[in-house]
Amino acid sequence: MRSTRHGRRWSTESLFPNYVFANFVLESGLEKNSYTPAVKMVLRFGGRVPEIPDTVIEDLRRSLSGLDSRVLTDAPMEAEEVEIAHGVFAGMKASVTRVLPGKQRAQILLEVMGRPVSAELSLDLVLFNRKDAAQFALTPAESIFAGGPAASDFDLASP
């Protein structure tokens, strides 16, 4: 479920949008894969094509095997800033003080005429930073490439 300006909507997301993992011999398959239809480019870091160890791929498969049937609900976190999407206070910023998942509501604190006011709103009425599927499914890895940079050093959501 995602919060949008039109209320909460079902959505299906790719864990790694716009990425395809391919298993091939680098020396002989790089050119063929680079010119495959619909492939824009082969990912490189500083001119080097990263090799992802088989153990990392297997760990991903194992940890995500049950995820395909799981419904991930996107909800704001406590102390997160949200924007009110509809009603008299539309466009105003507020801080989440408590999330009430059973009721699909959030308790917020907003400033009205210079004073803090507490209110309870439906999650359909608030906009907040979306979390992508990778944030739900993956835990930070120290390094995804042998001797390479940490996973947190890259934006895995866009090529």
Side-chain angles (χ1 to χ4, degrees):
M1 296 288 272
R2 292 282 180 208
S3 291
T4 67
R5 289 192 181 275
H6 304 289
R8 305 212 11 111
R9 303 280 188 246
W10 285 102
S11 69
T12 302
E13 294 182 11
S14 173
L15 189 57
F16 297 99
N18 303 318
Y19 283 83
V20 174
F21 289 88
N23 187 3
F24 60 89
V25 176
L26 188 60
E27 293 78 24
S28 60
L30 181 60
E31 187 173 340
K32 181 179 180 181
N33 284 287
S34 295
Y35 294 103
T36 300
V39 171
K40 184 176 179 180
M41 63 181 239
V42 174
L43 186 66
R44 296 175 193 271
F45 295 109
R48 184 175 69 85
V49 176
E51 295 181 44
I52 302 173
D54 291 337
T55 55
V56 172
I57 299 297
E58 282 307 311
D59 285 346
L60 273 172
R61 284 184 179 145
R62 195 174 19 264
S63 66
L64 301 175
S65 64
L67 194 61
D68 56 350
S69 62
R70 194 168 144 205
V71 175
L72 302 173
T73 304
D74 196 11
M77 304 290 287
E78 288 185 17
E80 183 175 346
E81 185 179 77
V82 296
E83 180 181 337
I84 300 173
H86 300 289
V88 178
F89 299 111
M92 288 187 69
K93 305 280 188 204
S95 179
V96 176
T97 55
R98 195 166 59 143
V99 178
L100 308 165
K103 295 181 178 179
Q104 294 296 306
R105 297 179 74 74
Q107 190 172 31
I108 62 167
L109 189 63
L110 68 149
E111 193 172 309
V112 179
M113 296 180 11
R115 301 182 91 170
V117 176
S118 181
E120 192 175 298
L121 295 176
S122 167
L123 290 177
D124 293 339
L125 299 177
V126 295
L127 300 173
F128 50 92
N129 289 333
R130 283 184 53 170
K131 297 160 191 74
D132 60 32
Q135 289 174 309
F136 286 108
L138 300 176
T139 56
E142 200 161 302
S143 176
I144 57 172
F145 310 115
S152 61
D153 292 343
F154 304 107
D155 180 8
L156 294 177
S158 59

